[in-house]
Amino acid sequence: MNAVILGIGSALPKKCVSNDELPSSLNTSDEWIVSRTGVKQRYVACDGETTASLAVEASAKALLMAKIAPADVDLIVLATVTGDYSFPSTATIVQRNLGIEKAVAFDVGAACSGFIYALDIADSRIRLGKSRCALVIGAETFSRLLDWSDRSTCVLFGDGAGAMVLGAADSPCGVQSCMVYSDGVGIDHLKTSGGISTTQTAGVVEMNGREVFRFAVEKFTESLEELLRLHHMTVDDIDLIVPHQANIRIVEKLMERFNIPREKVLVTIHKHANTSAASIPLSLAELGAGIFSKKNVVLLSVGAGFTWGAALLRFEPSAQPEDNIYEKKR
Ligand code: ACO
């Protein structure tokens, strides 16, 4: 049994802030931010917009594309480090707000690698026969975890959510493999300045940008090599690579190392900035139903911890949502 992708959706806060609209007190510039990171703008949650509200909107769109009723969802895995509350989980808030009465719902915290971690859990449960229809969500309101006077971090991040619907199907398509790793050696390079058990506050983002950059390039490279080796593939066999959107220069290093043509890499950092766990599904959702025309899609992530991961998704170009495999197999 494979976990096939049936739908994808995304949500962004209403407010978009361009580099030029950042406070002048930051003493930064559009030129510096674009040339060092690729970021041109970010979306910032306003009053009433939360990680859960963005996750609900993204999930509702994904379910609509998948033609799946909320009642059919039996698993919700939500990747976030900016949940609405310490508890209950943001996944259960999504569950209630979508009217899903009975499911397994929980959050996963793996920072920017959270979506691939969540995908790995959903894929494993579907393969084991423990779940049949999963909502896998990456959702963040990182703007609320930033020190808005620290120009070295606050210009990099944004808010948003992306969701994917997976269904169990006897099909060669779907999640082909998911690899997730972590190494606690990185804990001091990217972290918050506080936490519930230490300072009783959420803290703000602190980062050793250079070290994170070096590690991200190394792990993107290792992960892609491992995935290609595992599947006896070359870059030519890949239709699309969707990397975590942290810095365009990290992505360019990967393209150089593997000689990957630009059109094979999905880049949305200029629009969304780094939305942590939401970054990969938010990018993927930009393609809408166009995702079904890509046969082999690779996801790559690196995040705080350090955590990293890669996944290979396979789509059947003929299996549009109108004709989805899950419906036929039920
Ligand atoms: N505007 C203007 N100047 C700035 C800004 C800014 N926004 N930010 C930093 N600078 C200055 C610094 O103060 C420094 O000035 P100095 O030389 O006078 O001290 C200078 O620019 C160079 O700073 P560096 O930190 O060396 O700049 P660098 O080229 O390394 O770029 C950056 C910094 C963009 C943060 C880069 O290191 C990076 O992208 N790192 C990876 C970040 C990343 O991937 N994060 C992932 C987060 S994942 C998660 O799990 C949350």
Side-chain angles (χ1 to χ4, degrees), residues 32-199:
W32 192 96
I33 300 170
V34 172
S35 64
R36 298 293 183 106
T37 72
V39 174
K40 292 186 179 159
Q41 60 177 39
R42 73 283 298 139
Y43 288 83
V44 177
C46 295
D47 286 353
E49 290 176 318
T50 69
T51 295
S53 73
L54 295 169
V56 167
E57 187 184 332
S59 301
K61 288 179 188 167
L63 288 167
L64 199 66
M65 180 190 273
K67 295 187 160 67
I68 295 286
D72 286 340
V73 173
D74 58 9
L75 173 67
I76 305 169
V77 191
L78 190 151
T80 191
V81 289
T82 52
D84 282 25
Y85 304 106
S86 297
F87 67 86
S89 69
T90 303
T92 55
I93 302 172
V94 171
Q95 177 178 16
R96 187 205 47 196
N97 291 357
L98 286 175
I100 299 169
E101 283 180 7
K102 199 173 173 200
V104 179
F106 57 95
D107 293 352
V108 169
C112 299
S113 298
F115 185 77
I116 298 186
Y117 270 63
L119 189 66
D120 182 52
I121 295 165
D123 176 48
S124 304
R125 284 190 64 94
I126 287 173
R127 282 176 191 274
L128 284 170
K130 288 184 156 191
S131 301
R132 281 195 51 79
C133 186
L135 253 179
V136 180
I137 308 164
E140 304 275 16
T141 43
F142 237 73
S143 64
R144 294 185 175 141
L145 205 53
L146 296 171
D147 172 356
W148 281 97
S149 66
D150 176 10
R151 66 179 184 175
S152 68
T153 52
C154 75
V155 304
L156 304 173
F157 296 93
D159 302 336
M164 190 182 266
V165 180
L166 298 173
D170 184 13
S171 160
C173 294
V175 181
Q176 304 296 296
S177 64
C178 241
M179 307 173 329
V180 284
Y181 299 106
S182 61
D183 184 343
V185 73
I187 56 171
D188 289 326
H189 294 306
L190 182 53
K191 61 183 179 53
T192 55
S193 58
I196 300 152
S197 185
T198 48
T199 58

Side-chain angles (χ1 to χ4, degrees), residues 2-5 171-177 227 231-242 264 284 287 289-299 311-320 325:
N2 268 359
V4 297
I5 294 97
S171 160
C173 294
V175 181
Q176 304 296 296
S177 64
L227 202 71
H231 291 276
H232 309 288
M233 293 168 92
T234 70
V235 165
D236 292 344
D237 301 312
I238 306 296
D239 298 289
L240 186 69
I241 297 177
V242 187
K264 281 198 177 187
L284 262 181
L287 298 179
I291 191 70
F292 294 94
S293 65
K294 310 278 179 196
K295 191 172 175 207
N296 291 313
V297 175
V298 169
L299 314 181
L312 175 67
L313 311 181
R314 187 158 296 154
F315 294 86
E316 188 178 334
S318 59
Q320 297 293 317
I325 303 162

Side-chain angles (χ1 to χ4, degrees), residues 257-323:
R257 286 191 182 181
F258 288 87
N259 205 13
I260 306 169
R262 174 68 190 78
E263 62 274 13
K264 281 198 177 187
V265 183
L266 187 56
V267 173
T268 59
I269 188 162
H270 55 295
K271 289 196 230 173
H272 305 143
N274 180 351
T275 56
S276 185
S279 154
I280 288 175
L282 194 53
S283 294
L284 262 181
E286 291 273 304
L287 298 179
I291 191 70
F292 294 94
S293 65
K294 310 278 179 196
K295 191 172 175 207
N296 291 313
V297 175
V298 169
L299 314 181
L300 294 172
S301 72
V302 177
F306 293 119
T307 54
W308 65 99
L312 175 67
L313 311 181
R314 187 158 296 154
F315 294 86
E316 188 178 334
S318 59
Q320 297 293 317
E322 294 75 34
D323 182 28

